[in-house]
């Protein structure tokens, strides 16, 4: 059984849409929707993303793409690492 994990760090700008069903969703400038299923705990202390208060707010977004290769299946995780209000 072979196991491999790769990580890529990405920075982009986008607008916070909402928190729903356990995902933090942002629309980036090209219209793509990013739904983060993991978030740095410090961000939850810094920004109240679970309320509707920041919906529509533009941010600089710092996130990681984590790919776990377990046997024949790849799992892709988007982790929200940091935000800066624009």
């Amino acid at each position: 059984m072979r196991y491999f994990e790769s990580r890529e760090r990405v920075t982009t700008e986008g607008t916070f849409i909402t928190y729903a069903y356990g995902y933090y969703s942002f629309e980036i400038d090209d219209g793509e929707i990013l739904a983060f299923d993991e978030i740095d705990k410090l961000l939850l202390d810094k920004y109240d993303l679970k309320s509707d208060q920041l919906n529509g707010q533009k941010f600089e977004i710092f996130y990681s793409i984590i790919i776990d290769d377990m046997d024949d299946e790849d799992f892709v995780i988007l982790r929200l690492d940091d935000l800066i209000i624009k």
Side-chain angles (χ1 to χ4, degrees):
M1 178 171 160
R2 295 186 63 195
Y3 174 78
F4 176 77
E5 178 180 286
S6 69
R7 294 174 184 252
E8 178 183 355
R9 295 191 183 268
V10 182
T11 303
T12 189
E13 289 188 8
T15 303
F16 182 63
I17 299 172
T18 192
Y19 171 76
Y21 307 105
Y23 293 93
Y24 301 87
S25 300
F26 292 80
E27 181 176 359
I28 58 175
D29 292 339
D30 67 1
E32 182 181 353
I33 304 295
L34 297 176
F36 296 96
D37 46 359
E38 289 188 6
I39 185 170
D40 187 303
K41 184 181 177 316
L42 296 176
L43 280 178
L44 294 177
D45 296 334
K46 187 175 179 181
Y47 300 109
D48 184 12
L49 296 174
K50 290 187 177 181
S51 74
D52 293 337
Q53 184 178 12
L54 293 172
N55 292 8
Q57 177 65 52
K58 191 148 178 96
F59 287 95
E60 186 168 2
I61 304 166
F62 301 88
Y63 68 99
S64 297
I65 302 170
I66 304 166
I67 301 173
D68 286 332
D69 181 8
M70 301 176 75
D71 292 331
D72 293 335
E73 294 188 45
D74 289 344
F75 295 97
V76 178
I77 299 166
L78 294 181
R79 185 184 70 215
L80 187 56
D81 297 322
D82 200 5
L83 294 170
I84 298 173
I85 291 179
K86 297 300 281 176

